[in-house]
Coordinates of all heavy atoms in Angstrom, one line a residue:
M732 N -24.0 -8.1 1.4 CA -23.0 -8.6 0.5 C -22.0 -9.3 1.4 O -21.5 -8.8 2.4 CB -22.4 -7.5 -0.3 CG -21.3 -8.0 -1.2 SD -20.8 -6.7 -2.4 CE -19.3 -6.3 -1.6
S733 N -21.6 -10.6 1.1 CA -20.6 -11.2 1.9 C -19.2 -10.7 1.6 O -19.0 -10.4 0.4 CB -20.7 -12.8 1.7 OG -20.3 -13.1 0.4
K734 N -18.4 -10.9 2.6 CA -17.0 -10.3 2.4 C -16.2 -11.5 1.8 O -16.3 -12.6 2.2 CB -16.4 -9.9 3.7 CG -17.2 -8.8 4.3 CD -16.6 -8.3 5.6 CE -17.5 -7.2 6.2 NZ -17.3 -5.9 5.8
P735 N -15.3 -11.2 0.9 CA -14.5 -12.3 0.2 C -13.5 -12.9 1.1 O -13.2 -14.1 1.0 CB -13.8 -11.6 -0.9 CG -13.9 -10.1 -0.7 CD -15.0 -10.0 0.3
I736 N -13.0 -12.2 2.1 CA -12.1 -12.8 3.1 C -12.5 -12.3 4.5 O -13.0 -11.2 4.6 CB -10.6 -12.5 2.8 CG1 -10.3 -11.1 2.8 CG2 -10.1 -13.2 1.5 CD1 -8.8 -10.7 2.7
K737 N -12.0 -13.0 5.5 CA -12.3 -12.5 6.9 C -11.3 -11.3 7.2 O -10.2 -11.2 6.7 CB -12.0 -13.6 7.9 CG -13.0 -14.7 7.8 CD -12.7 -15.8 8.7 CE -13.7 -17.0 8.6 NZ -13.4 -18.1 9.5
A738 N -11.8 -10.5 8.1 CA -11.0 -9.3 8.5 C -9.7 -9.6 9.0 O -8.7 -9.0 8.7 CB -11.8 -8.4 9.5
T739 N -9.6 -10.7 9.8 CA -8.2 -11.1 10.3 C -7.2 -11.5 9.2 O -6.1 -11.1 9.2 CB -8.4 -12.3 11.3 OG1 -9.3 -12.0 12.3 CG2 -7.1 -12.7 11.9
H740 N -7.8 -12.2 8.2 CA -6.9 -12.6 7.0 C -6.5 -11.3 6.3 O -5.4 -11.2 5.9 CB -7.7 -13.5 6.1 CG -8.0 -14.8 6.7 ND1 -9.1 -15.6 6.4 CD2 -7.3 -15.6 7.7 CE1 -9.1 -16.7 7.2 NE2 -8.1 -16.7 7.9
H741 N -7.4 -10.4 6.2 CA -7.1 -9.1 5.5 C -5.9 -8.4 6.3 O -5.0 -7.9 5.6 CB -8.3 -8.2 5.5 CG -8.1 -6.9 4.7 ND1 -8.7 -6.6 3.5 CD2 -7.4 -5.9 5.0 CE1 -8.3 -5.5 3.1 NE2 -7.5 -4.9 4.0
N742 N -6.0 -8.5 7.6 CA -4.9 -7.8 8.4 C -3.6 -8.5 8.1 O -2.6 -7.8 8.0 CB -5.3 -8.0 9.9 CG -6.2 -6.9 10.4 OD1 -7.0 -7.1 11.3 ND2 -6.2 -5.7 9.8
F743 N -3.6 -9.9 8.0 CA -2.4 -10.6 7.8 C -1.8 -10.2 6.4 O -0.6 -10.0 6.2 CB -2.5 -12.0 8.0 CG -2.6 -12.5 9.4 CD1 -3.6 -13.1 9.9 CD2 -1.6 -12.2 10.3 CE1 -3.8 -13.5 11.2 CE2 -1.6 -12.5 11.6 CZ -2.7 -13.2 12.1
F744 N -2.7 -10.1 5.4 CA -2.3 -9.7 4.0 C -1.7 -8.3 4.1 O -0.6 -8.0 3.4 CB -3.4 -9.8 3.0 CG -3.8 -11.1 2.6 CD1 -5.2 -11.6 2.6 CD2 -2.9 -12.1 2.3 CE1 -5.5 -12.9 2.3 CE2 -3.2 -13.4 1.9 CZ -4.5 -13.8 1.9
D745 N -2.4 -7.4 4.9 CA -1.9 -6.0 5.0 C -0.4 -6.0 5.6 O 0.5 -5.3 5.1 CB -2.7 -5.2 5.8 CG -4.0 -4.6 5.1 OD1 -4.0 -4.7 3.8 OD2 -4.9 -4.1 5.8
L746 N -0.2 -6.8 6.7 CA 1.0 -6.9 7.4 C 2.1 -7.5 6.4 O 3.3 -7.0 6.5 CB 1.0 -7.6 8.6 CG 0.1 -6.8 9.7 CD1 0.0 -7.7 11.0 CD2 0.7 -5.5 10.0
A747 N 1.7 -8.5 5.6 CA 2.7 -9.1 4.7 C 3.1 -8.1 3.6 O 4.2 -8.0 3.2 CB 2.0 -10.3 4.0
A748 N 2.1 -7.2 3.2 CA 2.4 -6.1 2.3 C 3.4 -5.1 2.8 O 4.3 -4.7 2.2 CB 1.1 -5.5 1.7
V749 N 3.1 -4.8 4.1 CA 4.0 -3.9 4.9 C 5.4 -4.4 4.9 O 6.4 -3.7 4.5 CB 3.5 -3.7 6.3 CG1 4.6 -2.9 7.1 CG2 2.3 -2.8 6.3
A750 N 5.6 -5.7 5.2 CA 6.9 -6.4 5.2 C 7.5 -6.3 3.8 O 8.7 -6.0 3.7 CB 6.8 -7.7 5.7
A751 N 6.7 -6.5 2.8 CA 7.2 -6.6 1.4 C 7.7 -5.2 1.1 O 8.8 -5.0 0.4 CB 6.2 -7.1 0.5
F752 N 6.9 -4.1 1.3 CA 7.4 -2.8 1.0 C 8.6 -2.4 1.8 O 9.6 -1.7 1.2 CB 6.3 -1.7 1.3 CG 5.2 -1.7 0.3 CD1 3.8 -1.9 0.8 CD2 5.4 -1.5 -1.0 CE1 2.8 -1.8 -0.2 CE2 4.4 -1.4 -1.9 CZ 3.1 -1.6 -1.5
L753 N 8.7 -2.7 3.0 CA 9.9 -2.3 3.9 C 11.1 -3.1 3.5 O 12.2 -2.6 3.7 CB 9.6 -2.4 5.3 CG 8.4 -1.5 5.8 CD1 8.2 -1.7 7.3 CD2 8.8 0.0 5.5
L754 N 11.0 -4.4 3.0 CA 12.1 -5.1 2.7 C 12.6 -5.0 1.3 O 13.7 -5.4 0.9 CB 11.8 -6.7 3.0 CG 11.7 -7.0 4.5 CD1 11.3 -8.5 4.7 CD2 13.0 -6.8 5.2
A755 N 11.7 -4.6 0.4 CA 12.0 -4.6 -1.1 C 13.2 -3.8 -1.4 O 14.1 -4.3 -2.2 CB 10.8 -4.0 -1.8
P756 N 13.5 -2.6 -0.8 CA 14.7 -1.9 -1.2 C 16.0 -2.8 -0.9 O 16.9 -2.7 -1.7 CB 14.7 -0.6 -0.3 CG 13.2 -0.4 -0.1 CD 12.6 -1.8 0.1
T757 N 16.0 -3.5 0.2 CA 17.2 -4.3 0.5 C 17.2 -5.5 -0.3 O 18.3 -5.8 -1.0 CB 17.2 -4.7 2.0 OG1 17.1 -3.5 2.7 CG2 18.4 -5.5 2.4
V758 N 16.1 -6.2 -0.5 CA 16.1 -7.5 -1.2 C 16.3 -7.3 -2.7 O 17.0 -8.0 -3.5 CB 14.8 -8.3 -0.9 CG1 14.7 -9.5 -1.8 CG2 14.7 -8.6 0.5
L759 N 15.7 -6.2 -3.3 CA 15.6 -6.0 -4.7 C 16.7 -4.9 -5.2 O 16.8 -4.6 -6.3 CB 14.3 -5.6 -5.2 CG 13.2 -6.6 -4.9 CD1 11.8 -6.1 -5.4 CD2 13.5 -7.9 -5.7
G760 N 17.3 -4.3 -4.1 CA 18.3 -3.3 -4.5 C 17.9 -2.0 -4.9 O 18.6 -1.3 -5.7
F761 N 16.7 -1.7 -4.4 CA 16.2 -0.3 -4.7 C 17.1 0.8 -4.1 O 17.6 0.5 -3.0 CB 14.8 -0.1 -4.3 CG 13.8 -0.9 -4.9 CD1 12.5 -1.0 -4.3 CD2 14.0 -1.7 -6.0 CE1 11.5 -1.8 -4.9 CE2 13.0 -2.5 -6.6 CZ 11.8 -2.5 -6.0
A762 N 17.2 1.9 -4.7 CA 17.9 3.0 -4.1 C 17.2 4.3 -4.5 O 16.3 4.4 -5.4 CB 19.4 3.1 -4.7
G763 N 17.5 5.4 -3.8 CA 17.0 6.7 -4.1 C 15.5 6.8 -4.0 O 14.8 6.3 -3.1
K764 N 14.8 7.3 -5.1 CA 13.4 7.6 -5.1 C 12.7 6.2 -5.0 O 11.6 6.2 -4.3 CB 13.0 8.3 -6.4 CG 13.4 9.7 -6.5 CD 13.1 10.2 -7.9 CE 13.7 11.6 -8.1 NZ 13.3 12.1 -9.5
A765 N 13.1 5.2 -5.6 CA 12.4 3.9 -5.5 C 12.4 3.4 -4.1 O 11.4 2.9 -3.6 CB 13.0 2.9 -6.5
A766 N 13.5 3.5 -3.5 CA 13.6 3.0 -2.1 C 12.7 3.8 -1.1 O 11.9 3.3 -0.4 CB 15.0 3.0 -1.5
N767 N 12.8 5.1 -1.3 CA 12.0 6.0 -0.5 C 10.5 5.8 -0.7 O 9.7 5.8 0.3 CB 12.3 7.5 -0.8 CG 13.7 7.8 -0.3 OD1 14.2 7.2 0.6 ND2 14.2 8.9 -0.9
G768 N 10.1 5.6 -1.9 CA 8.6 5.3 -2.3 C 8.2 4.0 -1.6 O 7.1 4.0 -1.1
S769 N 9.0 3.0 -1.7 CA 8.7 1.8 -1.0 C 8.5 1.8 0.5 O 7.7 1.4 1.1 CB 9.7 0.7 -1.4 OG 9.3 -0.6 -1.0
Y770 N 9.5 2.6 1.1 CA 9.5 2.8 2.6 C 8.2 3.6 3.0 O 7.5 3.3 3.9 CB 10.7 3.5 3.1 CG 12.0 2.7 3.1 CD1 13.2 3.2 2.5 CD2 12.0 1.4 3.4 CE1 14.4 2.5 2.5 CE2 13.2 0.6 3.4 CZ 14.3 1.2 2.9 OH 15.5 0.5 2.9
I771 N 7.9 4.6 2.2 CA 6.7 5.4 2.5 C 5.5 4.7 2.4 O 4.6 4.7 3.2 CB 6.7 6.7 1.6 CG1 7.8 7.7 2.0 CG2 5.4 7.4 1.8 CD1 8.0 8.8 1.0
A772 N 5.4 3.8 1.3 CA 4.2 3.0 1.1 C 4.0 2.0 2.3 O 2.9 1.8 2.8 CB 4.3 2.2 -0.2
G773 N 5.1 1.4 2.7 CA 5.1 0.5 3.9 C 4.7 1.2 5.2 O 3.8 0.6 5.9
I774 N 5.2 2.3 5.4 CA 4.9 3.0 6.7 C 3.4 3.4 6.6 O 2.7 3.3 7.6 CB 5.8 4.2 6.9 CG1 7.2 3.7 7.2 CG2 5.4 5.1 8.0 CD1 8.3 4.7 7.1
V775 N 3.0 4.0 5.5 CA 1.6 4.5 5.4 C 0.6 3.3 5.6 O -0.4 3.3 6.3 CB 1.3 5.2 4.1 CG1 -0.2 5.4 3.8 CG2 2.0 6.5 4.1
L776 N 0.9 2.1 5.0 CA 0.1 1.0 5.1 C 0.1 0.4 6.5 O -0.9 0.0 7.0 CB 0.5 -0.2 4.1 CG -0.4 -1.4 4.2 CD1 -1.9 -1.1 3.9 CD2 0.1 -2.4 3.1
L777 N 1.3 0.5 7.2 CA 1.3 0.0 8.6 C 0.5 0.9 9.5 O -0.3 0.5 10.3 CB 2.8 0.1 9.1 CG 3.0 -0.4 10.6 CD1 2.6 -1.8 10.7 CD2 4.5 -0.2 10.9
I778 N 0.6 2.2 9.2 CA -0.3 3.1 10.1 C -1.8 2.9 9.9 O -2.6 2.8 10.8 CB 0.1 4.6 9.8 CG1 1.5 4.9 10.3 CG2 -0.9 5.5 10.4 CD1 2.1 6.2 9.9
L779 N -2.1 2.7 8.6 CA -3.5 2.4 8.2 C -4.0 1.1 8.9 O -5.0 1.1 9.5 CB -3.7 2.3 6.7 CG -5.1 2.0 6.3 CD1 -6.1 3.1 6.6 CD2 -5.1 1.7 4.7
T780 N -3.2 0.1 8.8 CA -3.5 -1.2 9.4 C -3.7 -1.1 10.9 O -4.7 -1.6 11.5 CB -2.5 -2.3 9.0 OG1 -2.5 -2.3 7.6 CG2 -2.9 -3.6 9.5
L781 N -2.8 -0.5 11.6 CA -2.8 -0.5 13.0 C -3.9 0.5 13.5 O -4.3 0.3 14.7 CB -1.5 0.0 13.6 CG -0.3 -1.1 13.4 CD1 0.9 -0.5 13.9 CD2 -0.7 -2.4 14.0
S782 N -4.3 1.4 12.7 CA -5.4 2.3 13.1 C -6.8 2.0 12.7 O -7.8 2.7 12.9 CB -5.0 3.8 12.7 OG -5.1 3.9 11.3
S783 N -6.9 0.8 12.0 CA -8.2 0.4 11.5 C -9.0 -0.3 12.5 O -8.5 -1.0 13.4 CB -8.0 -0.5 10.3 OG -7.5 0.3 9.2
D784 N -10.3 -0.3 12.3 CA -11.3 -1.0 13.2 C -11.4 -2.5 12.7 O -12.4 -2.9 12.3 CB -12.6 -0.4 13.2 CG -13.6 -0.9 14.2 OD1 -13.2 -1.6 15.1 OD2 -14.8 -0.7 14.0
M785 N -10.2 -3.2 12.9 CA -10.2 -4.6 12.4 C -9.5 -5.3 13.6 O -9.0 -4.8 14.5 CB -9.4 -4.7 11.2 CG -10.0 -4.0 10.0 SD -9.0 -4.0 8.5 CE -9.7 -5.4 7.7
P786 N -9.6 -6.7 13.5 CA -9.1 -7.5 14.7 C -7.7 -7.2 15.1 O -7.4 -7.2 16.4 CB -9.1 -8.9 14.2 CG -10.2 -8.9 13.2 CD -10.2 -7.6 12.5
L787 N -6.7 -6.9 14.2 CA -5.4 -6.5 14.7 C -5.1 -5.1 14.8 O -4.0 -4.6 15.0 CB -4.3 -7.2 13.7 CG -4.4 -8.7 13.6 CD1 -3.4 -9.2 12.6 CD2 -4.2 -9.4 14.9
G788 N -6.1 -4.3 14.6 CA -6.0 -2.8 14.7 C -5.8 -2.5 16.1 O -6.4 -3.0 17.1
V789 N -4.9 -1.5 16.4 CA -4.6 -1.1 17.8 C -5.5 0.1 18.2 O -6.1 0.1 19.2 CB -3.1 -0.7 17.9 CG1 -2.8 -0.2 19.3 CG2 -2.2 -1.9 17.6
A790 N -5.5 1.1 17.4 CA -6.2 2.3 17.7 C -7.8 2.2 17.3 O -8.5 2.9 18.0 CB -5.7 3.6 17.0
K791 N -8.1 1.5 16.3 CA -9.4 1.3 15.8 C -10.2 2.6 15.5 O -11.3 2.9 15.9 CB -10.3 0.5 16.9 CG -9.6 -0.8 17.2 CD -10.6 -1.9 17.5 CE -10.0 -3.2 17.9 NZ -9.5 -4.0 16.9
L792 N -9.5 3.5 14.8 CA -10.0 4.9 14.5 C -10.6 4.9 13.1 O -11.5 5.7 12.8 CB -8.9 5.9 14.6 CG -8.2 6.1 15.9 CD1 -7.0 7.0 15.7 CD2 -9.2 6.6 16.8
V793 N -10.1 4.0 12.2 CA -10.6 4.0 10.8 C -11.5 2.8 10.6 O -11.2 1.7 10.8 CB -9.4 3.8 9.8 CG1 -9.8 3.8 8.4 CG2 -8.3 4.9 10.1
K794 N -12.7 3.1 10.1 CA -13.8 2.1 9.9 C -13.4 1.4 8.7 O -12.7 1.8 7.7 CB -15.1 2.7 9.8 CG -15.6 3.4 11.0 CD -15.7 2.6 12.2 CE -16.2 3.3 13.4 NZ -16.0 2.6 14.6
G795 N -13.9 0.1 8.6 CA -13.7 -0.8 7.5 C -13.7 -0.3 6.1 O -12.9 -0.4 5.2
P796 N -15.0 0.5 5.8 CA -15.1 1.0 4.4 C -14.1 2.0 4.1 O -13.5 2.1 2.9 CB -16.5 1.5 4.3 CG -17.2 0.8 5.5 CD -16.2 0.5 6.5
I797 N -13.8 2.8 5.0 CA -12.7 3.9 4.8 C -11.4 3.3 4.5 O -10.6 3.7 3.7 CB -12.7 4.9 6.0 CG1 -14.1 5.6 6.2 CG2 -11.6 5.9 5.8 CD1 -14.6 6.3 5.1
H798 N -11.0 2.2 5.3 CA -9.8 1.5 5.1 C -9.8 1.0 3.7 O -8.7 1.1 3.0 CB -9.8 0.3 6.1 CG -8.6 -0.6 6.0 ND1 -7.6 -0.6 6.8 CD2 -8.3 -1.6 5.0 CE1 -6.7 -1.5 6.4 NE2 -7.1 -2.1 5.3
G799 N -10.9 0.5 3.2 CA -10.9 -0.1 1.8 C -10.7 1.0 0.8 O -10.0 0.9 -0.2
Y800 N -11.3 2.2 1.0 CA -11.2 3.3 0.1 C -9.7 3.8 0.1 O -9.2 4.2 -1.0 CB -12.2 4.4 0.4 CG -13.6 4.1 0.2 CD1 -14.6 4.4 1.2 CD2 -14.0 3.5 -1.0 CE1 -15.9 4.1 1.0 CE2 -15.4 3.1 -1.1 CZ -16.3 3.5 -0.2 OH -17.6 3.1 -0.4
V801 N -9.1 3.9 1.2 CA -7.7 4.3 1.3 C -6.8 3.3 0.6 O -5.9 3.7 -0.1 CB -7.3 4.5 2.8 CG1 -5.8 4.8 2.8 CG2 -8.1 5.7 3.4
E802 N -7.0 2.0 0.7 CA -6.3 1.0 0.0 C -6.5 1.1 -1.5 O -5.6 0.9 -2.2 CB -6.6 -0.4 0.5 CG -6.0 -0.7 1.8 CD -6.2 -2.1 2.2 OE1 -7.1 -2.8 1.8 OE2 -5.3 -2.6 3.1
L803 N -7.7 1.4 -1.9 CA -8.0 1.6 -3.3 C -7.2 2.7 -3.9 O -6.6 2.7 -4.9 CB -9.5 1.7 -3.7 CG -9.9 2.0 -5.0 CD1 -9.6 0.8 -5.9 CD2 -11.4 2.2 -5.1
A804 N -7.3 3.9 -3.2 CA -6.5 5.1 -3.6 C -5.0 4.8 -3.6 O -4.2 5.2 -4.5 CB -6.8 6.3 -2.7
G805 N -4.6 4.1 -2.6 CA -3.2 3.7 -2.5 C -2.8 2.8 -3.7 O -1.7 2.9 -4.2
G806 N -3.6 1.9 -4.1 CA -3.3 1.0 -5.2 C -3.2 1.8 -6.5 O -2.3 1.6 -7.3
V807 N -4.1 2.8 -6.7 CA -4.0 3.7 -7.9 C -2.7 4.5 -7.8 O -1.9 4.6 -8.8 CB -5.1 4.6 -8.0 CG1 -5.0 5.6 -9.1 CG2 -6.5 3.7 -8.2
A808 N -2.4 5.0 -6.7 CA -1.1 5.8 -6.5 C 0.1 5.0 -6.7 O 1.1 5.4 -7.4 CB -1.1 6.4 -5.1
L809 N 0.1 3.7 -6.3 CA 1.2 2.8 -6.5 C 1.4 2.5 -8.0 O 2.5 2.4 -8.5 CB 1.1 1.5 -5.7 CG 1.4 1.6 -4.2 CD1 1.0 0.3 -3.5 CD2 2.8 2.0 -4.0
F810 N 0.3 2.4 -8.7 CA 0.4 2.1 -10.2 C 1.0 3.4 -10.8 O 1.8 3.2 -11.8 CB -1.0 1.9 -10.7 CG -1.0 1.6 -12.2 CD1 -0.7 0.4 -12.7 CD2 -1.4 2.6 -13.0 CE1 -0.7 0.2 -14.0 CE2 -1.4 2.5 -14.4 CZ -1.1 1.2 -14.9
A811 N 0.7 4.5 -10.4 CA 1.2 5.8 -11.1 C 2.6 6.2 -10.6 O 3.3 6.9 -11.3 CB 0.2 6.9 -10.8
L812 N 3.0 5.7 -9.5 CA 4.3 6.1 -8.8 C 5.5 6.1 -9.8 O 6.3 7.0 -9.8 CB 4.5 5.3 -7.6 CG 5.5 5.9 -6.5 CD1 5.0 7.2 -6.1 CD2 5.6 4.9 -5.4
P813 N 5.7 5.0 -10.6 CA 6.9 5.0 -11.5 C 7.0 6.2 -12.4 O 8.0 6.8 -12.6 CB 6.8 3.7 -12.2 CG 6.0 2.8 -11.4 CD 5.0 3.7 -10.6
W814 N 5.9 6.7 -12.9 CA 5.8 7.8 -13.8 C 5.9 9.1 -13.1 O 6.6 10.0 -13.5 CB 4.5 7.7 -14.6 CG 4.5 6.7 -15.7 CD1 5.0 6.8 -16.9 CD2 3.9 5.4 -15.6 NE1 4.8 5.6 -17.6 CE2 4.2 4.7 -16.8 CE3 3.2 4.7 -14.6 CZ2 3.8 3.4 -17.0 CZ3 2.8 3.5 -14.8 CH2 3.1 2.8 -16.0
V815 N 5.3 9.1 -11.9 CA 5.4 10.3 -11.1 C 6.8 10.6 -10.6 O 7.3 11.7 -10.6 CB 4.4 10.2 -9.9 CG1 4.7 11.4 -8.9 CG2 3.0 10.2 -10.3
L816 N 7.5 9.5 -10.2 CA 8.9 9.7 -9.8 C 9.9 9.7 -10.9 O 11.1 9.8 -10.6 CB 9.2 8.6 -8.8 CG 8.5 8.6 -7.5 CD1 8.9 7.4 -6.6 CD2 8.6 9.9 -6.7
G817 N 9.5 9.5 -12.1 CA 10.4 9.4 -13.3 C 11.2 8.2 -13.3 O 12.4 8.2 -13.8
L818 N 10.7 7.1 -12.8 CA 11.4 5.8 -12.8 C 10.9 4.8 -13.9 O 11.5 3.7 -14.0 CB 11.2 5.1 -11.4 CG 11.7 6.0 -10.2 CD1 11.3 5.3 -8.9 CD2 13.2 6.2 -10.3
S819 N 9.9 5.1 -14.6 CA 9.3 4.2 -15.6 C 10.3 4.0 -16.8 O 10.9 5.0 -17.3 CB 7.9 4.7 -16.0 OG 7.5 3.9 -17.0
L820 N 10.3 2.8 -17.3 CA 10.9 2.6 -18.6 C 10.1 2.9 -19.8 O 10.6 3.0 -20.9 CB 11.4 1.1 -18.7 CG 12.3 0.6 -17.6 CD1 12.7 -0.8 -17.7 CD2 13.6 1.4 -17.6
I821 N 8.8 3.1 -19.5 CA 7.8 3.6 -20.6 C 7.6 5.0 -20.4 O 7.1 5.4 -19.4 CB 6.5 2.7 -20.4 CG1 6.8 1.3 -20.6 CG2 5.5 3.3 -21.5 CD1 5.6 0.4 -20.2
H822 N 8.0 5.8 -21.4 CA 7.8 7.2 -21.3 C 6.6 7.7 -22.1 O 6.4 7.3 -23.3 CB 9.0 7.9 -21.7 CG 10.2 7.7 -20.9 ND1 10.4 8.1 -19.6 CD2 11.3 6.8 -21.1 CE1 11.5 7.7 -19.1 NE2 12.0 6.9 -20.0
I823 N 5.8 8.4 -21.5 CA 4.6 8.9 -22.2 C 5.0 10.2 -22.9 O 5.4 11.2 -22.2 CB 3.4 9.1 -21.2 CG1 3.1 7.9 -20.5 CG2 2.2 9.8 -21.9 CD1 2.1 8.0 -19.4
S824 N 4.8 10.3 -24.2 CA 5.3 11.4 -24.9 C 4.3 12.6 -24.8 O 3.1 12.3 -24.8 CB 5.6 11.1 -26.4 OG 4.4 10.6 -27.0
E825 N 4.8 13.8 -25.0 CA 3.9 15.0 -24.9 C 3.3 15.1 -26.4 O 3.9 14.7 -27.4 CB 4.8 16.2 -24.7 CG 5.4 16.2 -23.3 CD 4.3 16.4 -22.2 OE1 3.3 17.2 -22.5 OE2 4.4 15.8 -21.2
P826 N 2.1 15.6 -26.5 CA 1.4 15.8 -27.7 C 2.3 16.8 -28.6 O 2.8 17.8 -28.0 CB 0.1 16.3 -27.4 CG -0.1 16.2 -26.0 CD 1.2 15.9 -25.3
T827 N 2.4 16.5 -29.8 CA 3.2 17.5 -30.7 C 2.3 18.4 -31.4 O 1.1 18.3 -31.6 CB 4.1 16.7 -31.7 OG1 3.2 15.9 -32.5 CG2 5.1 15.9 -31.0

């Protein structure tokens, strides 16, 4: 199966996402749990990117498929984060 983008381009997208997560609290005015969640996401993605076996990886400890699975899990976690942290404007009601 061919890859949709080159590994180097993937690394640059990862680093752009790291920058977005780390700058979002300042640029968008996040505070408290929202800011902390954004900082944690940025730091985790930075560690993953630098430790991956990709062109810009420093440690090369994490193989490509594992990198992808961690990013997939992180995407699901980011989707759920507003509800987990109690920041969502949409509240899921308890069954009555």
Side-chain angles (χ1 to χ4, degrees):
M732 181 169 104
S733 67
K734 298 184 189 267
I736 61 172
K737 294 179 181 180
T739 304
H740 295 149
H741 184 112
N742 276 152
F743 285 120
F744 288 132
D745 280 349
L746 293 175
V749 167
F752 281 126
L753 296 179
L754 292 174
T757 302
V758 174
L759 301 175
F761 293 171
K764 293 177 185 177
N767 292 338
S769 189
Y770 291 136
I771 290 169
I774 291 168
V775 168
L776 184 56
L777 179 62
I778 291 168
L779 177 65
T780 301
L781 294 178
S782 64
S783 291
D784 187 19
M785 297 175 94
L787 299 180
V789 176
K791 306 211 185 280
L792 299 171
V793 180
K794 300 295 181 197
I797 301 300
H798 177 103
Y800 293 134
V801 171
E802 283 188 338
L803 178 62
V807 171
L809 284 173
F810 180 79
L812 200 59
W814 287 277
V815 171
L816 296 179
L818 302 172
S819 175
L820 298 176
I821 300 171
H822 297 286
I823 301 172
S824 63
E825 294 291 324
T827 56

